Amino acid sequence: MGALPTLAVVGATGAVGSVLCELLSSRKNVWGEVRLIASARSAGRRVLVRGEELVVRELSAEAFDGVDVAVFDVPDDVSATWVPVATERGAVAVDNSAAFRMDPDVPLVVPEVNPERIRDRPKGIVANPNCTTLAMIVTVGALHREYGLRELIISSYQAASGAGQAGIDALHDQLAKVSGDRTIGTRAGDVRQAVGDELGPFPAPLALNVVPWAGSLRDHGWSSEELKLRNESRKILGLPDLKVSATCVRVPVVTGHSVAVHAVFGAEVDADDAAEIIKQAPGVVLVDDPAEGEFPTPADAAGTDPTWAGRLRRALDDPRALDVFVVGDNLRKGAALNTVQIAEQVAAELSTA
C-alpha cells in the first residue's frame, strides 16, 4: 500500500453517495485513488470528485482489487451480497445499510460516541447507524457520559428523503397537487382525494399531513424504524438493557430528521449543566432561546454537518430526566458524513500500520 490508501465508493450515484462525493471534495484529503462504483445502469457516468471527473465503474468483484477501504450506500440485500466480496478482496468495508448493524462481530460506530470500536472488526466490516439514530445519539451520548442513561422515550419527525429519492419525488408531486386550493385540508378525505393513489413509498398522503409510520411492520405493531432506534442505541452506547420506546412519524419535510427525546438518567440532572455538556460535545450545536424564537428546525439544519439541539428542559416530574429536541441532516451526518468519518479513521489506522 502507498502512502495514501485507495477508497471505493459503492453506490456513488445515489442520494447519499452524491453527498459522500461532495464531502470527499470538501474535507481534508486522506485518500490516494478514489473509485466510484455503482450498478450497471449508472456505469460510465462521470462524477466530479476532488476537482477531477471520475468514471463510474460497474459493481463487480474485480472493482475491489487494490482497494483499502470500501464505503457502501446501497440497499440491504446489495450490501449483504457485496460487502463480503470487498472484504475477501482485502478492503475494510464501511456499510451504511442495515445488513450488518446488529451482527455482534460488526461494530456499530459513531465517531463522537464510540470511536474505539472501529479497530474491533473481526469481519473487516464497520457499520453505520440508521439516520434517525444518528440524529439524536451524539447529543444523548454526551449526556450519558455525564449522568448515566437509563431510559429513552422518543418521537421522531422524519423527512421524506429518508425514504430515498422516491420519497422526495412523492412529496413534491403531492405538494404540487394540493397547492392550488387553499380549502384542501379542511375536510376529511380531501387531501387523499387531491393526491389520489400516487402515495409513493408512504402509506398515506404526506403533503399537508403527518404519517405515524416509517419502515416496515414488525411484531406487535412496531415498525422497523422504531426497533432500529431501540436496538442501535443500545449497541452504540453499550447499554444492552436500556429501556427505549420510540414512535416514528413521517413529516412533509424534504431533508432533516428531528427527534423529541425524553431521557431518564441514573443521577439528578441540571438543565444549565446539561446545556454546557451539549455545547462542549463534538459535532453538536446548541440553539436554545425560545424567548427569541431560537430552536433547531430541519429547514435550518438541511445541508449542514452538526446535530442541532434545543428546547432543553429538566422534566417537571422527574429530577433525573431531561427533554431535548434534536435535528440533523439525514443525508449528511445521518448517512454520508458519519460514513466518511469512520472511513477516515480507518485510513489513519492503515497509513500508520
Side-chain angles (χ1 to χ4, degrees):
M1 184 176 69
L4 293 177
T6 296
L7 174 71
V9 180
V10 186
T13 58
V16 173
S18 298
V19 175
L20 206 154
C21 290
E22 292 175 13
L23 289 169
L24 292 175
S25 300
S26 62
R27 294 173 67 82
K28 179 182 177 181
N29 183 34
V30 300
W31 305 106
E33 180 188 355
V34 174
R35 296 183 193 175
L36 306 184
I37 300 173
S39 63
R41 66 178 179 273
S42 296
R45 287 177 54 179
R46 294 180 177 271
V47 177
L48 190 66
V49 180
R50 303 186 301 179
E52 179 184 0
E53 275 197 346
L54 301 181
V55 178
V56 178
R57 305 185 186 198
E58 183 177 352
L59 179 58
S60 68
E62 292 72 26
F64 296 106
D65 287 344
V67 169
D68 300 298
V69 182
V71 297
F72 286 77
D73 186 73
V74 292
D76 295 356
D77 59 334
V78 178
S79 279
T81 298
W82 287 99
V83 165
V85 174
T87 59
E88 287 168 5
R89 296 268 171 157
V92 175
V94 183
D95 183 42
N96 192 40
S97 81
F100 300 97
R101 286 177 187 153
M102 300 315 298
D103 186 321
D105 291 325
V106 175
L108 184 64
V109 173
V110 181
E112 296 88 347
V113 180
N114 61 342
E116 71 285 350
R117 294 283 290 125
I118 291 177
R119 289 179 176 267
D120 181 19
R121 47 175 194 270
K123 291 187 175 180
I125 305 168
V126 182
N128 199 53
N130 175 263
C131 51
T132 315
T133 304
L134 279 163
M136 64 147 195
I137 201 67
V138 179
T139 303
V140 169
L143 294 169
H144 165 60
R145 284 192 292 272
E146 180 68 21
Y147 299 119
L149 186 64
R150 296 291 182 269
E151 182 177 355
L152 287 173
I153 300 173
I154 306 163
S155 295
S156 74
Y157 307 86
Q158 297 177 217
S161 56
Q165 189 62 45
I168 298 173
D169 292 342
L171 176 58
H172 280 300
D173 290 346
Q174 292 177 20
L175 288 171
K177 291 179 179 179
V178 302
S179 63
D181 185 348
R182 295 195 177 190
T183 68
I184 292 178
T186 62
R187 301 178 306 278
D190 60 356
V191 173
R192 287 184 181 271
Q193 184 176 8
V195 168
D197 296 330
E198 297 178 3
L199 300 178
F202 311 117
L206 191 58
L208 305 183
N209 203 16
V210 297
V211 180
W213 187 261
S216 54
L217 182 62
R218 296 294 187 263
D219 291 344
H220 310 297
W222 293 96
S223 79
S224 58
E225 289 283 306
E226 291 158 352
L227 295 183
K228 286 175 186 177
L229 278 167
R230 177 177 184 262
N231 297 333
E232 293 177 16
S233 296
R234 288 175 159 191
K235 186 172 181 179
I236 294 164
L237 297 173
L239 297 172
D241 298 320
L242 179 67
K243 296 180 180 179
V244 183
S245 181
T247 300
C248 290
V249 181
R250 194 74 72 178
V251 295
V253 168
V254 174
T255 302
H257 286 355
S258 306
V259 186
V261 179
H262 177 82
V264 182
F265 299 93
E268 186 169 334
V269 298
D270 178 86
D272 291 336
D273 290 344
E276 287 302 315
I277 292 167
I278 293 172
K279 286 179 183 177
Q280 298 302 318
V284 184
V285 176
L286 183 68
V287 182
D288 194 15
D289 190 351
E292 297 297 325
E294 294 181 357
F295 31 72
T297 73
D300 299 315
T304 69
D305 288 341
T307 295
W308 301 81
R311 296 300 323 281
L312 180 66
R313 297 145 284 155
R314 190 169 86 163
L316 294 175
D317 301 314
D318 187 345
R320 302 170 302 123
L322 286 168
D323 288 272
V324 63
F325 190 77
V326 293
V327 181
D329 184 318
N330 52 296
L331 300 180
R332 293 183 77 87
K333 181 56 179 175
L337 176 60
N338 202 74
T339 303
V340 167
Q341 289 174 306
I342 295 170
E344 288 173 348
Q345 289 205 25
V346 175
E349 173 193 333
L350 296 177
S351 296
T352 58

